[in-house]
């Protein structure tokens, strides 16, 4: 019985070691920008388009409602209003001076839109990097875990076989029973530890691009004003009913079973995914990588809107 007790204690420590925390990315994140981006205070969108702009006859004559909303999002609405006035002036009284002014104003708007497109590219690149970082560590942990499960399974089978052989050759009944019980318990424990084996690691992300998407603050800490406006106004979603940011969150809830207030486990996952980081499993790292990739795709699609506005203004 002493041997049986000692073996069980060893197995408990062995099983606990399977849950040990792996070294993680604690101090360095190569995906973060060298300098935090700050939107300028000049080209910020109006919270809502002023009435006098919406009813401007020259603006409505040359540009659609969608174009006007896009111009507001990109901080070029005032410039677009001035361009429409110049076009109206040129139509009534054509002149070289007015034509040059029109070309200059188009270039001014184009320059601003190019900056907007680089903002989109920058955020998309950071999301891509973060997704790759999470996925790479998840793959590493999964590979280690698979090796561990294989070793535990082989050990369980081997112990079971040795126990069966030993029982046959041991003559004393009490000793034979003790060996059978100990061997069976050890084999079962190894098999169980193979099933519940899980590796974890500390994974930190103080600059978390998922946070503002989930909690939807009025002003984002991480996203430039143009991107945040495009994400949070329904005029830029496909169905025109809900903002893009809401649609993203709904997909996260549907595919990752993330529902606020559902269970304590879900609440812990939400705190982890949308907080500054903590202890991750390989599975949860994979979930984070997928969420980052979905968000990256949505951000990249915003470039199509900017491209359309650039084309419209250049005509």
């Amino acid at each position: 019985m002493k041997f049986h007790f000692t073996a069980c204690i060893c197995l408990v420590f062995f099983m606990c070691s399977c849950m040990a925390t792996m070294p993680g990315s604690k101090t360095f994140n190569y995906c973060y920008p060298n300098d935090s981006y700050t939107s300028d205070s000049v080209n910020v969108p109006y919270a809502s388009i002023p009435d006098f702009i919406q009813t401007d006859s020259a603006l409505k004559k040359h540009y659609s409602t969608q174009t006007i909303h896009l111009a507001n999002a990109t901080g070029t609405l005032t410039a677009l209003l001035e361009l429409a006035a110049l076009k109206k002036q040129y139509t009534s009284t054509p002149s070289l001076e007015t034509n040059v002014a029109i070309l200059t104003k188009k270039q001014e708007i184009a320059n601003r839109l190019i900056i907007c497109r680089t903002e989109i590219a920058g955020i998309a690149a950071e999301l891509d990097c973060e997704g790759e970082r999470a996925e790479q560590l998840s793959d590493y942990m999964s590979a280690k875990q698979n090796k561990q499960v294989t070793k535990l399974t082989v050990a369980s089978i081997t112990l079971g076989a040795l126990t069966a052989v030993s029982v046959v050759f041991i003559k004393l009944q009490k000793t034979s029973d003790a060996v059978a019980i100990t061997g069976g318990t050890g084999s079962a424990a190894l098999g169980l530890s193979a099933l519940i084996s899980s590796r974890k690691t500390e994974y930190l992300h103080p600059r978390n691009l998922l946070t503002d998407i989930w909690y939807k603050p009025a002003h984002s800490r991480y996203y430039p004003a143009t991107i945040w406006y495009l994400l949070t106004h329904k005029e830029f979603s496909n169905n025109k009913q809900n903002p893009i940011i809401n649609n993203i969150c709904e997909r996260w809830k549907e595919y990752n079973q993330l529902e606020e207030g559902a269970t304590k486990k879900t609440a812990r996952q939400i705190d982890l995914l949308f907080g500054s980081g903590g202890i991750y499993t390989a599975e949860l790292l994979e979930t984070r990588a997928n969420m980052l990739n979905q968000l990256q795709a949505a951000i990249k699609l915003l470039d199509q809107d900017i491209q359309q506005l650039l084309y419209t203004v250049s005509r």
Side-chain angles (χ1 to χ4, degrees):
M1 293 302 293
K2 183 179 180 181
F3 173 74
H4 172 67
F5 178 78
T6 302
C8 288
I9 293 295
C10 291
L11 285 169
V12 168
F13 278 107
F14 184 79
M15 290 171 65
C16 290
S17 69
C18 296
M19 302 293 291
T21 301
M22 295 175 60
S25 305
K26 297 182 180 181
T27 58
F28 176 68
N29 189 332
Y30 51 84
C31 296
Y32 291 173
N34 291 328
D35 295 311
S36 297
Y37 177 84
T38 304
S39 297
D40 61 79
S41 58
V42 177
N43 297 301
V44 294
Y46 289 104
S48 60
I49 300 175
D51 292 336
F52 76 91
I53 292 179
Q54 294 192 59
T55 57
D56 187 276
S57 58
L59 190 65
K60 296 192 72 174
K61 179 181 178 181
H62 290 96
Y63 303 107
S64 66
T65 301
Q66 183 69 9
T67 298
I68 294 171
H69 281 295
L70 279 169
N72 183 42
T74 56
T76 59
L77 185 54
T78 300
L80 193 69
L81 190 66
E82 294 168 353
L83 179 60
L86 287 169
K87 285 185 174 181
K88 183 179 180 181
Q89 179 182 336
Y90 186 80
T91 302
S92 60
T93 312
S95 68
L96 179 60
E97 182 181 351
T98 305
N99 193 38
V100 170
I102 289 173
L103 293 175
T104 302
K105 189 59 65 176
K106 284 183 177 181
Q107 188 60 54
E108 177 188 330
I109 296 173
N111 290 342
R112 172 59 190 161
L113 295 181
I114 289 170
I115 292 175
C116 292
R117 296 186 73 179
T118 60
E119 290 174 349
I120 290 172
I123 290 292
E126 186 177 346
L127 288 166
D128 184 43
C129 183
E130 281 287 355
E132 288 294 331
R133 175 175 170 246
E135 191 169 2
Q136 186 178 43
L137 185 55
S138 174
D139 290 343
Y140 174 81
M141 291 172 64
S142 295
K144 288 287 187 181
Q145 186 170 324
N146 289 338
K147 288 182 181 179
Q148 180 174 288
V149 169
T150 299
K151 290 179 181 179
L152 290 171
T153 303
V154 171
S156 176
I157 294 172
T158 302
L159 181 59
L162 289 174
T163 300
V165 172
S166 299
V167 168
V168 172
F169 288 99
I170 294 175
K171 302 299 182 181
L172 295 175
Q173 185 64 37
K174 289 184 177 180
T175 304
S176 176
D177 291 344
V179 169
I181 292 171
T182 302
T185 302
S187 180
L190 287 169
L192 179 61
S193 62
L195 289 175
I196 66 174
S197 175
S198 175
R199 286 182 178 265
K200 298 180 180 181
T201 187
E202 185 178 39
Y203 186 84
L204 304 179
H205 36 74
R207 176 183 162 88
N208 191 350
L209 294 179
L210 300 181
T211 303
D212 286 355
I213 303 298
W214 183 260
Y215 293 112
K216 306 177 185 65
H219 302 284
S220 174
R221 293 171 291 174
Y222 307 123
Y223 294 90
T226 291
I227 295 178
W228 192 243
Y229 190 93
L230 289 168
L231 289 174
T232 56
H233 285 74
K234 63 183 180 180
E235 292 84 7
F236 308 105
S237 66
N238 289 336
N239 58 19
K240 311 295 184 191
Q241 296 179 357
N242 298 304
I244 294 172
I245 195 174
N246 290 33
N247 295 334
I248 292 172
C249 289
E250 287 303 315
R251 288 196 293 272
W252 286 348
K253 291 176 183 178
E254 180 179 357
Y255 294 117
N256 301 308
Q257 291 80 52
L258 297 177
E259 190 63 50
E260 292 176 292
T263 63
K264 289 184 178 180
K265 180 181 178 182
T266 302
R268 286 195 299 270
Q269 288 183 348
I270 289 174
D271 289 342
L272 188 61
L273 289 167
F274 304 113
S276 58
I279 304 301
Y280 273 85
T281 62
E283 182 180 3
L284 201 54
L285 276 171
E286 185 65 28
T287 296
R288 176 173 173 80
N290 290 336
M291 293 168 70
L292 287 163
N293 290 336
Q294 291 170 24
L295 179 56
Q296 179 198 356
I299 296 291
K300 282 184 173 180
L301 286 173
L302 298 178
D303 190 52
Q304 294 181 340
D305 292 331
I306 309 298
Q307 187 178 23
Q308 180 60 38
L309 179 56
L310 188 59
Y311 172 73
T312 301
V313 170
S314 66
R315 289 185 297 179

